[in-house]
Amino acid sequence: GWKDAINTTIINFNNEKMQITWKARELFPGENVSFSYTFDEGKHKVWKSCPTYLLDQDYSSGCLFKTEGPTLAISIRNSNGSKELFSKRLKSDFYIKPNRPENVTFFWKEDTVTVSCNTPERVVKCLRLELQYKSNFDKDWQSRTSKCCNVGEQGFDPRKCYSFRVRLKRLVPYCNVVDYSSDWEAETFWMNGTLLDSCGDDMKSESNTVIVLICLLAVLLMIFILLILLCKWQRLQKLVMPAIPDPKYVFADLFNDHNGNFQEWIDKTDHAIVQAKIEYEEPECIEAESQQENEKNSDKQERQEKVFSFSRAAENNDPKAAQIACLMPTSNTTASFAGFQVLMNDDMYVML
């Protein structure tokens, strides 16, 4: 009974080739065993030697041969074939591993994706088409299985990039005693119905956009902080070191009209100040004269005429005369104007 308990791996590749392997170093240490097989039944079996051995460190560990029927018998013997070490009968159809799906097509409409492939020539009822997909934001694959050879799924976001892969599976236990599936068809990348070379490009573009936005925000924040610091520094600088006024702007006429000649500028400025003062004070003097005229008697007509004579002199741009005209003395008075001593009484004015 131990002969049937030996663990072997049996694969029927699309019912075209058989591969049977065993653990040589564990089961038959230090011994090169021989393998033979037959697809015949009954007493007249024709055993065939293994055409292609699989080796594990120079020891035979398997055999690869053509599939010739549904019923298979195998035998493992010692190196010279005199002793049988293992034998088994099996149904080769229960160990089929299908080929990859052929001519896979994708149809994307709105949020639904439909995948289809060519229908195999044999045993279609035992096959299922499996679709796996994930977006660039998912870590694990999501799976959807349907009858061969068409499968569809809904809920796809057109703004995301998806990876798709498909394969064929054999039904267990109705068709296979081992759960064999085909190898995965080449992975493809789709986004909103458009085939892409890779989802990495989409992720890279999004990553670059995020990096640019972050850098832009960082630059704006730094500029804002620098402006605040600059304003505070200017305020601090004004408090610690007040600005010295520039005489060029305070005395614009000194530099613009007189080219910095202070004596020329001060002479003209003094004359303009005296002139402006006379023009400003003259109406008051005239008003004072009018009031005094109403109060004076007719015997002081001569004094009034003298005052008016000085007023006319002031109109002729004589500042000293104007200053004297503004004085309406009622008694003997001595005054000083612009370096002159003026003695005044009721009848005359003497300038010393």
Side-chain angles (χ1 to χ4, degrees), residues 11 13 95-101 127-128 130 166-172 176 178-184:
I11 303 175
F13 292 103
Y95 296 87
I96 293 178
K97 179 178 181 179
N99 289 339
R100 292 177 178 178
L127 295 175
R128 294 291 182 267
E130 181 182 8
V166 292
R167 67 180 178 180
L168 291 173
K169 298 182 65 175
R170 289 273 294 186
L171 286 177
V172 177
N176 263 32
V178 181
D179 188 9
Y180 282 147
S181 301
S182 71
D183 296 333
W184 290 105

Side-chain angles (χ1 to χ4, degrees), residues 120-157:
E121 297 180 356
R122 298 187 298 175
V123 202
V124 179
K125 63 180 181 180
C126 288
L127 295 175
R128 294 291 182 267
L129 181 63
E130 181 182 8
L131 169 67
Q132 286 192 347
Y133 59 90
K134 65 178 180 179
S135 71
N136 50 358
F137 299 99
D138 299 328
K139 294 183 178 179
D140 301 324
W141 290 95
Q142 301 183 56
S143 184
R144 178 82 166 85
T145 304
S146 182
K147 292 182 178 181
C148 187
C149 290
N150 188 292
V151 59
E153 184 66 8
Q154 297 179 338
F156 292 95
D157 190 344

